Amino acid sequence: MVNLSHAELDKQTVTKAYDRWAPVYDLVFGAVFERGRDAAIAAAERVGGRILEVGVGTGIALPHYSKNCRLCGIDISEQMLRKAHERVAEFGLSNVEGLWVMDAEHLSFPDASFDAVVAQYVVTTAPNPEATLDEFVRVLKPGGEIILVSRVGAEAGLRRALEHWFAPAARKLGWRTEFSFERYANWAERTGGVRLIERRAMPPLGHFSLIRFAKEGGTDAARPGLPEETYPAARVAH
Ligand SMILES: C[S@@+](CC[C@H](N)C(=O)[O-])C[C@H]1O[C@@H](n2cnc3c(N)ncnc32)[C@H](O)[C@@H]1O
């Protein structure tokens, strides 16, 4: 397993990369990631309440949430967030409580602040993904959900070889290509108190997944998830 260190994808590189992406981000990554965003939003709306969008970027997802959801957004890139502010004003999104420049690994919200933490196409761009996921758990209320749309690297074959070959160039653009699902599974097992409830392949080409974790402690008996047999790969190994 490749374990990328902090130094291999540092905050400065990521911030600079997304500051550069900001003017064209929606054009390049708008439509291609739409289905993943829609799936994450649908999952978040089922939880409802107060939702944190981590790596909110240009705010591309914000107008698509129900007005009943209260939304907070954070991003490490000031230029991406500037676009998000423009979008909030343009669409008159009164359900957006605030947008902040903030590092996902060090969230300045108190414990148990949110019903759901949503991160679309973000965790594999964070310099320290596991520490970032730890922060999501901290700010989540018991019974709340972490809802990710994330790239999942191939475990074998040509795609895996290509992902590893492309990895150094991808890091300069601000993302990882070779992030394995095992890292999520290992993180959940180590962390405790979180349970994988869904993994569903997402376009393009099924290279991404919708991944949902529930934080224990709430009344989650009625929590909707896919029937277990439709996502066997999602099971966390014990
Ligand atoms: C691929 S973009 C995804 C944007 C948006 N969520 C979407 O659905 O298109 C990744 C975003 O995560 C942000 N990001 C990366 N690392 C971050 C970190 N450590 N803290 C906060 N935001 C981060 C980037 O600045 C960028 O806006």
Side-chain angles (χ1 to χ4, degrees), residues 14 18 25 37 55 57 75-77 80 102-104 120-121 125:
V14 172
Y18 283 100
Y25 184 88
R37 286 190 200 98
D75 203 283
I76 204 166
S77 156
M80 293 289 272
M102 203 185 284
D103 178 4
Q120 305 167 13
Y121 312 101
T125 73

